Amino acid sequence: MTAAVLRHPLGASAAVALAATAVIAALASAPGGATLAQQIVSGLTLGGVYVAVAVAFTLTIGVLNFLNFTIPTLFMLTGMVAWSLARWGLPFGLSPGLHWAPALAGGIVVAILASLIVERFTFRYFRTRHGDATEHAIPLVSSLGFLLIFEHLVLIFLGSEAQSFPVRFRLDWQAGPLVVGLPQLLSLAVSLAVVFWLSWLLKATKVGRALRSIAENPDTATLLGVDVARIVPVVFVLSGLLCGVAGALFVVNYSDVSPFMGDDVGTKAIAAMVFGGVGSIWGAIAGGLLVGVLETLGIHFFGGDAAQLVVWSVLLATLILRPQGLFGGSRIGKGKL
């Protein structure tokens, strides 16, 4: 990707983290501020889930100029497949119900495989038939079709009811007046670690350089010897991995799964991507954490029904005042990563 992805180094992220820590500490020590600080901490841990899904959106848009509507469904598939594996085990009676950890791993694998199916029958198929698939709306519409297909397959085989995933551990860590769930804290760390690993992959590896060249100009990348047909599936594997990790972290922290669990997370991840700036991985990180905090503060001050209103009102205000987002550049279209 271009400098838009890597514009903000680790030092900037560390400065933001220190500033957030200072704000939380100040609120926690102020009279009556502990509750507000607790909401911010909860929002940051929830934002870790949004971060991974927002980066998945950013990756497909930045490299392929393709809004992949199946991304929320990959998140959902992870949770539902993991739940079914934990309850019934492998298909055809090959095993009893699995432990929650291998069940979640199985859910992540299914998300990656589903993402590769989408790549094969949306982007690659229509690229073969029409040339540059990114110039056509057909792949976008076909990805929406896969969203509906995957969702209804889950409804047919696993039902429409919300289910409880059998996660066995709950452990809290108390820091003064603040209570932090260690699984939530670990999930935030894992989510950010995966995104930082992705940033390193894009910057420092041969595959990353190939992805960045495709993001700049696919035709030029082909002339320079990049095998686009082999590199593009990597984008979908990474997207499936990010959604799978996000789904697994969500399940571990909140224990609830349903065929519709990806809908809300998907819209929040899109909001996070726009907040941070379309095409900026660092922006997706900041946007995901911001959306998580806005959601918990909206619930705290205005009730659960107003959470969406708060998030999208702030997003609209951001689009009016700074359409490119927090870290986005001025370019829209190819090359923005």
Side-chain angles (χ1 to χ4, degrees), residues 25-97:
L27 286 173
S29 60
T35 301
L36 188 59
Q38 182 68 61
Q39 296 302 319
I40 293 175
V41 170
S42 299
L44 291 174
T45 55
L46 175 61
V49 174
Y50 298 152
V51 162
V53 183
V55 171
F57 274 115
T58 298
L59 194 61
T60 54
I61 289 179
V63 175
L64 306 176
N65 202 29
F66 170 44
L67 180 58
N68 185 358
F69 278 121
T70 58
I71 282 176
T73 310
L74 301 178
F75 175 90
M76 178 273 293
L77 279 175
T78 302
M80 291 303 296
V81 169
W83 170 77
S84 68
L85 290 175
R87 180 170 181 177
W88 293 305
L90 296 174
F92 312 111
L94 295 178
S95 76

Side-chain angles (χ1 to χ4, degrees), residues 18-321:
L18 289 173
T21 303
V23 170
I24 293 171
L27 286 173
S29 60
T35 301
L36 188 59
Q38 182 68 61
Q39 296 302 319
I40 293 175
V41 170
S42 299
L44 291 174
T45 55
L46 175 61
V49 174
Y50 298 152
V51 162
V53 183
V55 171
F57 274 115
T58 298
L59 194 61
T60 54
I61 289 179
V63 175
L64 306 176
N65 202 29
F66 170 44
L67 180 58
N68 185 358
F69 278 121
T70 58
I71 282 176
T73 310
L74 301 178
F75 175 90
M76 178 273 293
L77 279 175
T78 302
M80 291 303 296
V81 169
W83 170 77
S84 68
L85 290 175
R87 180 170 181 177
W88 293 305
L90 296 174
F92 312 111
L94 295 178
S95 76
L98 300 180
H99 184 266
W100 62 267
L104 287 175
I108 294 174
V109 170
V110 169
I112 294 173
L113 294 176
S115 185
L116 285 173
I117 291 173
V118 172
E119 185 274 334
R120 179 62 183 86
F121 293 103
T122 58
F123 196 86
R124 192 195 311 184
Y125 175 75
F126 289 110
R127 183 185 182 91
T128 301
R129 289 180 62 90
H130 299 289
D132 188 357
T134 64
E135 302 300 334
H136 299 273
I138 297 175
L140 183 147
V141 175
S142 61
S143 75
L144 179 60
F146 270 105
L147 180 153
L148 297 174
I149 290 171
F150 289 148
E151 188 171 282
H152 282 80
L153 284 174
V154 170
L155 287 171
I156 291 169
F157 289 104
L158 300 179
S160 60
E161 299 296 324
Q163 305 291 343
S164 179
F165 187 81
V167 178
R168 303 301 182 192
F169 62 92
R170 283 289 180 270
L171 184 62
D172 293 332
W173 173 56
Q174 188 157 358
L178 301 179
V179 178
V180 182
L182 287 184
Q184 290 180 310
L185 189 62
L186 179 61
S187 295
L188 176 60
V190 169
S191 180
L192 293 178
V194 169
V195 174
F196 277 86
W197 167 79
L198 176 62
S199 296
W200 170 82
L201 176 75
L202 294 170
K203 183 178 180 180
T205 66
K206 183 178 180 180
V207 171
R209 288 190 291 272
L211 289 172
R212 285 185 284 134
S213 67
I214 295 172
E216 291 289 348
N217 191 309
D219 296 329
T220 303
T222 301
L223 291 175
L224 293 174
V226 175
D227 190 346
V228 175
R230 294 183 61 185
I231 294 298
V232 167
V234 174
V235 177
F236 287 84
V237 169
L238 293 174
S239 298
L241 175 63
L242 288 165
C243 293
V245 169
L249 296 179
F250 183 89
V251 168
V252 167
N253 283 292
Y254 302 103
S255 299
D256 294 325
V257 297
S258 81
F260 310 106
M261 62 186 286
D263 298 346
D264 184 58
V265 171
T267 57
K268 299 286 178 56
I270 291 176
M273 177 182 65
V274 176
F275 265 130
V278 176
S280 170
I281 287 183
W282 297 101
I285 295 174
L289 298 177
L290 177 60
V291 168
V293 171
L294 286 174
E295 183 175 353
T296 56
L297 291 180
I299 294 172
H300 174 69
F301 287 110
F302 306 110
D305 294 335
Q308 292 272 17
L309 179 63
V310 171
V311 171
W312 289 96
S313 296
V314 175
L315 175 62
L316 289 175
T318 302
L319 289 174
I320 293 170
L321 298 174

